[in-house]
């Protein structure tokens, strides 16, 4: 069986856009920077970062049904924790260095997501983010699907590059599951994460 290099596998001139799905702020840069750089000048490139929102307290969550617009006051303290705002600024610099279009969706990371019914953390310990998605993640998954479907369809021939989820991080698994549901003519390629 003959192996064909990725850059020779597609007719990039016939592709309208390449969309890289990044569950977190570092995933696209660490896993796909080389691809994004090689495609510069060949095709329009977009990085969609999914989980980069500010964590919220239970009180702030209860004031906002989805918990997405509340301030990050009293969020879970973590050793070595860097604020999402600082990480977003770093990601913006990285995206500009790669000269790619990007969007930060602002969903919460698995360890910070809260139940829409109780307001409690869905994944009560950082270790739980390495298992399978919870039933409580269903609303998050559906909302992500509708947003990505809107962003990735009706815009011509598109290649969506998604994490494979081989490390079993819930946010990566959810991203891969949602990518598999995107309707044609979206073509799908997975990267190791």
């Amino acid at each position: 069986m003959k192996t064909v290099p990725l850059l020779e596998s597609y007719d990039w001139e016939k592709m309208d856009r390449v969309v890289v799905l990044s569950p977190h702020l570092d995933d696209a840069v660490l896993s796909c920077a080389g691809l994004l750089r090689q495609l510069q000048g060949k095709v329009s490139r977009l990085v969609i970062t999914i989980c980069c929102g500010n964590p919220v307290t239970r009180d702030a969550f209860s004031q906002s049904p989805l918990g997405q617009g509340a301030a990050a006051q009293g969020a879970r303290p973590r050793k070595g924790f860097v604020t999402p705002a600082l990480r977003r600024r770093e990601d913006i610099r990285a995206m500009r260095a790669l000269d790619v279009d990007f969007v930060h969706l602002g969903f919460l990371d698995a360890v910070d997501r809260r139940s829409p019914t109780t307001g409690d953390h869905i994944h009560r310990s950082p270790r739980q983010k390495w298992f399978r998605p919870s039933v409580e993640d269903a609303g998050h998954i559906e909302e992500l699907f509708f947003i990505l479907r809107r962003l990735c369809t009706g815009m011509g021939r598109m290649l969506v590059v998604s994490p494979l989820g081989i490390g079993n991080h819930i946010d990566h698994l959810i991203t891969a599951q949602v990518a598999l549901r995107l309707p044609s003519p979206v073509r799908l390629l997975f990267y190791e994460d």
Side-chain angles (χ1 to χ4, degrees):
M1 186 164 113
K2 183 180 176 186
T3 304
V4 179
L6 177 63
L7 292 176
E8 297 173 18
S9 299
Y10 296 94
D11 185 352
W12 299 107
E13 292 180 5
K14 292 184 179 178
M15 196 75 59
D16 292 304
R17 174 166 273 188
V18 172
V19 175
V20 176
L21 301 179
S22 185
H24 305 103
L25 289 161
D26 53 3
D27 294 316
V29 171
L30 294 177
S31 299
C32 299
L35 174 64
L36 290 166
R37 178 69 74 198
Q38 289 295 315
L39 293 177
Q40 187 173 10
K42 291 183 172 87
V43 64
S44 173
R45 300 153 302 140
L46 172 67
V47 174
I48 300 174
T49 303
I50 298 164
C51 299
C52 57
N54 293 333
V56 295
T57 64
R58 184 182 170 99
D59 292 338
F61 184 86
S62 67
Q63 295 170 10
S64 172
L66 297 177
Q68 295 293 323
Q73 303 166 10
R76 280 187 202 182
R78 293 188 286 248
K79 186 175 181 177
F81 179 73
V82 177
T83 66
L86 175 60
R87 293 192 67 216
R88 286 190 299 268
R89 287 192 301 271
E90 291 172 346
D91 190 66
I92 290 168
R93 285 194 298 273
M95 294 298 112
R96 288 181 179 157
L98 289 169
D99 194 28
V100 297
D101 296 326
F102 63 94
V103 62
H104 293 156
L105 294 183
F107 283 87
L108 295 176
D109 190 299
V111 75
D112 295 315
R113 274 197 297 279
R114 294 182 177 274
S115 165
T117 54
T118 67
D120 294 332
H121 284 103
I122 295 171
H123 309 283
R124 297 180 190 269
S125 74
R127 283 201 64 156
Q128 287 182 323
K129 70 181 181 180
W130 301 104
F131 299 111
R132 63 184 175 274
S134 164
V135 170
E136 297 274 8
D137 285 314
H140 165 78
I141 293 168
E142 289 309 301
E143 184 179 4
L144 178 60
F145 169 69
F146 289 122
I147 290 171
L148 292 181
R149 186 178 70 177
R150 175 69 58 145
L151 290 172
C152 295
T153 56
M155 306 230 348
R157 293 182 52 162
M158 188 171 303
L159 175 68
V160 173
V161 184
S162 171
L164 190 55
I166 58 176
N168 288 326
H169 188 294
I170 289 172
D171 295 329
H172 291 236
L173 293 171
I174 288 171
T175 302
Q177 291 170 5
V178 168
L180 284 167
R181 291 174 55 194
L182 293 173
S184 61
V186 169
R187 295 183 74 182
L188 190 57
L189 176 72
F190 288 100
Y191 64 86
E192 290 184 50
D193 50 338

